[in-house]
Structures are given as C-alpha cells and as structure tokens.
Amino acid sequence: TSPYPTKLSLKSHSGLTAVGPLTADHEPKISFDKNQNKNVGKYTGDVTFTQRFRVEPGAPKSVAINGTINFLYCNEDNCIPKKEKIEIS
C-alpha cells in the first residue's frame, strides 16, 4: 500500500463518534510504482470513501462535521500529497 494512506481528520464533530475505519467503495489496484520502487495500492477513476458515525444521546438535531482529508494525487510521473477541507452538515 501507499506510504501515505488516505486519512480523514475531524476537527469539529460534537455529538458524533466515529465507528470503524474510513472505507473505500472498492479496493485499490496494486501495481509497481517506479517512483517509490515498490508495489503500491492506487485508486483509479472515482472512489467514494465512507465513515460511519454514532449519534450520541443528547446530541443536537443538527450536527456539523469539519476537518480535512489527506491523500496522494498520482499521475504517470509522480505522486503529490494533497489536503482538502471538508464541511458536512
């Protein structure tokens, strides 16, 4: 797998508890990466990541989640670490 796995970091999620790991809707394609000189897993095309949450007793009716998702963007020549802000309500 990649030395930089996709990671979800939450900053604000009062009333919610993450349940289980961040999961993808399909497995990555494992292939040799000449830049890293080893086999790595890469998602090709579109991929949807899912994180389950448990709503805690007493949580407000409207809950917002803020944070970042860290991932690698790769093309044929190299891979670049990326970070995107997320906001879900």
Side-chain angles (χ1 to χ4, degrees), residues 21 61 74:
K61 290 186 179 188
C74 300

Side-chain angles (χ1 to χ4, degrees), residues 22-83:
L22 181 68
T23 58
D25 64 350
H26 63 274
E27 294 295 319
K29 179 181 177 185
I30 307 297
S31 61
F32 185 78
D33 185 295
K34 65 181 179 180
N35 297 310
Q36 297 182 42
N37 199 32
K38 66 178 184 175
N39 285 335
V40 297
K42 295 180 183 178
Y43 293 99
T44 57
D46 292 336
V47 60
T48 299
F49 288 96
T50 303
Q51 175 67 61
R52 296 185 64 205
F53 293 93
R54 176 178 40 251
V55 178
E56 298 299 332
K61 290 186 179 188
S62 177
V63 178
I65 299 172
N66 297 303
T68 57
I69 187 159
N70 299 309
F71 60 97
L72 278 182
Y73 170 78
C74 300
N75 61 25
E76 292 178 9
D77 298 321
N78 59 29
C79 290
I80 301 167
K82 303 270 288 182
K83 178 189 267 188

